[in-house]
Amino acid sequence: MMKLTLKKDAGFAMVAAAVVALAVPAAAQWEKRPDPRVPRLANGQVNLDAPTPRDGRGGRGRGANANLPPPPPPPPGTPPVATFGNLGVNMPDGLPMTAWAKDLLKQRMDLNSKENPDANCMPMGFTQFHQQPQPREIVQTPSKVLILYEANYGLRQIYTDGRALPKLGDPQPQWYGYSVGRWDGDSLVVESNNLRGAEDGPFDGWLDVRGSPYSREAKFTERFTRPTFGRLTIDVTVDDPKAYTKPFTVRINQQVLPDTELIEFICNENQQFRRRVKID
């Protein structure tokens, strides 16, 4: 889910537009509460292609539109679409890994990727969080943007008050790093560094389920664009000279989920992953 209008002149009234990673259905768990502000077609379905709201209007939701059609194919020249399991699966030559990253990925996959942070109720990397099946909610305020992830109860802060991105190593590395955002037309551009990397522990520095790594040297640049009411694109550029021979960019598509709310999700409650797959 996501509280967001993603338009520079939209105002800061905590506008709402619940989103989920495209093509991953989310089971409805709250009662449906239709929002009269959500644009709809004559048959009652959400009009995903309605104009993007600019005055604080939006919708709340989760799962009600899981069977809606996918977006049209991207125009030529747009970044390859990422997947939850393998971030670079749609890149002609795959992710441009260094020897260090290739060796680490092999180690992780040799262990059946059992230390994946999502499976172990640990905080995920940005690209995993953006594609996790559970929804997220984005809240706009005058000085920051908050992303609340239902999955693993994640919370991310993006400062939009004009502060500069700190130097690498200045703040203590964190699971979600340090993020600052600025507007470029109708796109929100977010830069992040000072993340915990794969050097910090087995659950750190995962770009995808299989274990494509990132290091403490990583810088992420995300471009959030909402072309219509129901669509959100996130172009993610990873610049990590320790793990990748050159920066690369992938696209993540999300769409609005109307008429419901985030729910409390405590991942460690009755956690069964390691026992059921006989890891421990």
Side-chain angles (χ1 to χ4, degrees), residues 64-120:
N65 67 336
N67 296 318
L68 290 178
T78 56
V81 174
T83 69
F84 189 53
N86 180 354
L87 196 72
V89 69
N90 289 315
M91 299 175 68
D93 299 315
L95 296 176
M97 293 186 183
T98 62
W100 175 83
K102 290 178 181 177
D103 288 344
L104 181 54
L105 174 61
K106 183 178 185 304
Q107 293 172 33
R108 289 174 168 180
M109 295 185 69
D110 285 347
L111 295 173
N112 295 318
S113 303
K114 70 176 185 179
E115 307 295 2
N116 186 299
D118 185 26
N120 289 277

Side-chain angles (χ1 to χ4, degrees), residues 183-203:
W183 289 99
D184 181 11
D186 283 336
S187 294
L188 178 65
V189 179
V190 179
E191 296 178 299
S192 304
N193 64 4
N194 289 288
L195 295 101
R196 291 170 59 101
E199 306 95 329
D200 289 291
F203 308 120

